[in-house]
């Protein structure tokens, strides 16, 4: 890391306060702590993430959200032939195109049947989600290991997107164990989901020492804002995860059962804090619900899923009940089928 002005944090041990003449910031406007540059060294947060994820050997790289790494990593490693396993977060193809990589896509259902099909693509990088976005399914760890072995044939890198990994801790821990015994897996995670701070932007990757040594000097300084650093430093990640999972699992089961009663098809086996489902007809459910002040995700851009598919987040019981009522009203008004309304 190069020397920069404003790095007062390394000197605070020698003095309770430091008057900073090294940073050329407007001194005639009082913005409090916001007038300081963010910290450059975040070793305590990296150690906190290591303890939280249970890794002993993987390096932690922090950044302003997982999407930051989705765009940076292809450039840092110079990927040229990338394979995206679908369905997947829709920024991968865009980020790879920006980096100049040739992008191919392959359905998860196909690779489950024949992981060796990867050989016909000879990719230098492969991207998959687990939990899958947008269905919430998890990919079997044995399959991920087999994919990693196939990628090793070409000296390729496997990027496992675990933006929602906090909601399936046993699975996530298994992926960490797998990454620790290989040198070609990068795990990408978001803290904005579990901590409910998307406006602050913070995420991280877990990466082997071998891969880290290739990119350690490529990251830019001050990528994470001070308020995000302070927030993560103060919270108890394990306690938040434990409490959150109890609520999410209970509410997800409740919402899934009510959707099934309406005759809606649950897509996959959701394990995160969202559910994807399919309506039985061409009703524009997103448009109908927005008129009730409710916004849901239209999944029509996901070619793997087909028509009439939507994704909803898991929220509190009162919010979930309001959503279910609105869905029932929207479908009943279209006379698609008789659906019992829920108690308001």
């Amino acid at each position: 890391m190069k020397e920069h002005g404003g790095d007062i944090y390394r000197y605070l041990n020698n003095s309770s306060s430091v008057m900073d003449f090294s940073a050329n910031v407007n001194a005639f406007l009082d913005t409090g702590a916001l007038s300081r540059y963010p910290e450059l060294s975040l070793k305590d947060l990296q150690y906190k993430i290591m303890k939280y994820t249970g890794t002993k050997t993987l390096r932690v790289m922090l950044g302003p959200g997982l999407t930051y790494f989705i765009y940076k990593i292809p450039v840092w490693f110079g990927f040229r032939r990338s394979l995206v396993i679908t369905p997947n977060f829709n920024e991968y193809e865009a980020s790879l195109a920006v980096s100049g990589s040739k992008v191919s896509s392959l359905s998860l259902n196909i690779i489950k049947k024949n992981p060796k099909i990867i050989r016909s693509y000879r990719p230098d990088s492969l991207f998959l989600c687990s939990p899958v976005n947008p269905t919430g399914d998890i990919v079997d760890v044995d399959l991920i290991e087999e994919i990693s072995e196939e990628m090793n044939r070409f000296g390729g890198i496997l990027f496992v997107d675990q933006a929602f990994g906090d909601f399936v801790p046993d699975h996530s821990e298994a992926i960490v164990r797998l990454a620790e015994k290989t040198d070609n897996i990068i795990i990408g995670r978001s803290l904005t989901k579990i901590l409910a701070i998307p406006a602050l932007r913070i995420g991280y990757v877990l990466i082997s020492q071998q891969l880290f040594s290739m990119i350690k000097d490529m990251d830019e300084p001050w990528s994470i804002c001070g308020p995000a650093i302070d927030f993560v430093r103060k919270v108890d990640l394990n306690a938040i995860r434990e409490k959150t999972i109890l609520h999410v699992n209970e509410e997800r089961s409740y919402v899934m059962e009510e959707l099934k009663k309406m005759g809606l098809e649950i897509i996959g086996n959701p394990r995160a804090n969202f559910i994807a489902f399919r309506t039985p007809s061409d009703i524009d459910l997103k448009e109908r619900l927005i008129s009730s002040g409710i916004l849901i995700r239209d999944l029509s851009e996901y070619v793997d899923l087909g028509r009439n598919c939507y994704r909803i987040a898991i929220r509190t019981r009162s919010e979930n009940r309001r959503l279910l009522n609105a869905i029932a009203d929207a479908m009943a008004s279209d006379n698609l089928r008789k659906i019992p309304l829920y108690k308001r």
Side-chain angles (χ1 to χ4, degrees):
M1 183 72 70
K2 295 181 179 180
E3 286 285 330
H4 292 283
D7 187 14
I8 67 170
Y9 304 95
R10 69 169 70 182
Y11 304 106
L12 289 178
N13 290 334
N14 300 326
S15 174
S16 59
S17 64
V18 175
M19 187 176 294
D20 188 8
F21 283 85
S22 71
N24 308 315
V25 177
N26 184 358
F28 304 96
L29 184 65
D30 185 4
T31 54
L34 296 180
S35 66
R36 294 181 176 182
Y37 278 87
E39 296 176 56
L40 286 169
S41 176
L42 298 172
K43 291 183 179 179
D44 66 317
L45 283 191
Q46 292 168 338
Y47 179 69
K48 183 173 186 174
I49 296 300
M50 287 184 69
K51 287 188 65 178
Y52 175 63
T53 59
T55 184
K56 294 180 173 59
T57 61
L58 298 177
R59 299 295 298 263
V60 177
M61 294 184 70
L62 291 154
L66 179 53
T67 303
Y68 170 83
F69 290 109
I70 290 172
Y71 275 83
K72 290 290 188 181
I73 281 178
V75 176
W76 291 343
F77 283 102
F79 294 151
R80 288 293 172 262
R81 297 184 312 279
S82 301
L83 183 59
V84 177
I85 306 304
T86 61
N88 208 320
F89 181 45
N90 59 12
E91 290 293 338
Y92 282 100
E93 292 191 1
S95 70
L96 292 165
V98 168
S99 71
S101 180
K102 179 181 178 182
V103 185
S104 301
S105 61
L106 184 66
S107 169
L108 178 61
N109 289 330
I110 293 176
I111 208 167
K112 283 179 178 178
K113 296 175 182 177
N114 180 23
K116 291 181 175 58
I117 196 173
I118 293 171
R119 300 177 189 181
S120 62
Y121 292 87
R122 297 189 65 84
D124 57 16
S125 51
L126 186 147
F127 299 83
L128 65 81
C129 278
S130 186
V132 175
N133 189 347
T135 64
D137 291 280
I138 60 173
V139 182
D140 188 80
V141 176
D142 290 338
L143 175 60
I144 294 176
E145 182 171 15
E146 198 166 350
I147 293 171
S148 171
E149 292 171 354
E150 290 297 327
M151 291 300 294
N152 259 333
R153 290 175 171 271
F154 322 111
I157 292 173
L158 167 58
F159 189 95
V160 181
D161 181 323
Q162 288 207 298
F164 298 94
D166 298 281
F167 299 96
V168 283
D170 291 345
H171 175 68
S172 295
E173 183 180 343
I175 300 298
V176 168
R177 299 284 85 80
L178 175 60
E180 285 180 327
K181 71 177 186 179
T182 67
D183 287 322
N184 73 331
I185 294 179
I186 300 175
I187 301 171
R189 298 207 179 143
S190 169
L191 286 171
T192 65
K193 314 295 186 185
I194 190 69
L195 296 181
I197 52 169
L200 289 183
R201 310 305 305 151
I202 187 164
Y204 60 94
V205 294
L206 300 172
I207 184 170
S208 69
Q209 179 61 49
Q210 178 178 321
L211 293 180
F212 175 75
S213 65
M214 299 168 63
I215 62 173
K216 63 180 181 178
D217 297 322
M218 296 184 183
D219 200 6
E220 62 194 60
W222 308 303
S223 63
I224 309 174
C225 70
I229 294 170
D230 291 340
F231 189 96
V232 176
R233 183 167 281 151
K234 293 174 183 177
V235 299
D236 185 332
L237 292 170
N238 287 292
I240 289 174
R241 179 175 61 183
E242 183 177 348
K243 181 179 179 180
T244 299
I245 289 174
L246 289 175
H247 290 302
V248 167
N249 288 349
E250 180 180 359
E251 289 304 308
R252 187 181 60 236
S253 296
Y254 163 70
V255 174
M256 285 174 61
E257 286 305 310
E258 300 305 324
L259 291 175
K260 289 176 183 177
K261 289 177 184 177
M262 297 186 201
L264 303 180
E265 176 191 354
I266 306 299
I267 302 174
N269 180 26
R271 297 283 300 277
N273 63 332
F274 53 87
I275 298 169
F277 64 92
R278 182 179 288 109
T279 63
S281 188
D282 284 337
I283 181 176
D284 189 340
L285 191 58
K286 178 182 177 181
E287 187 66 24
R288 292 294 182 89
L289 294 188
I290 198 63
S291 65
S292 301
I294 295 174
L295 179 62
I296 65 173
R297 179 76 156 86
D298 182 351
L299 301 179
S300 57
E301 66 184 26
Y302 288 85
V303 294
D304 303 70
L305 303 182
R307 298 166 59 87
N308 313 321
C309 295
Y310 302 90
R311 188 187 69 198
I312 54 174
I314 299 302
R315 300 186 64 86
T316 65
R317 177 59 60 96
S318 62
E319 291 172 314
N320 292 335
R321 188 175 289 120
R322 180 186 168 194
L323 169 67
L324 291 166
N325 276 316
I327 292 175
D329 287 345
M331 296 186 66
S333 67
D334 242 36
N335 295 318
L336 293 178
R337 59 182 63 224
K338 293 182 179 179
I339 300 173
L341 295 184
Y342 298 88
K343 292 182 180 179
R344 288 174 167 79

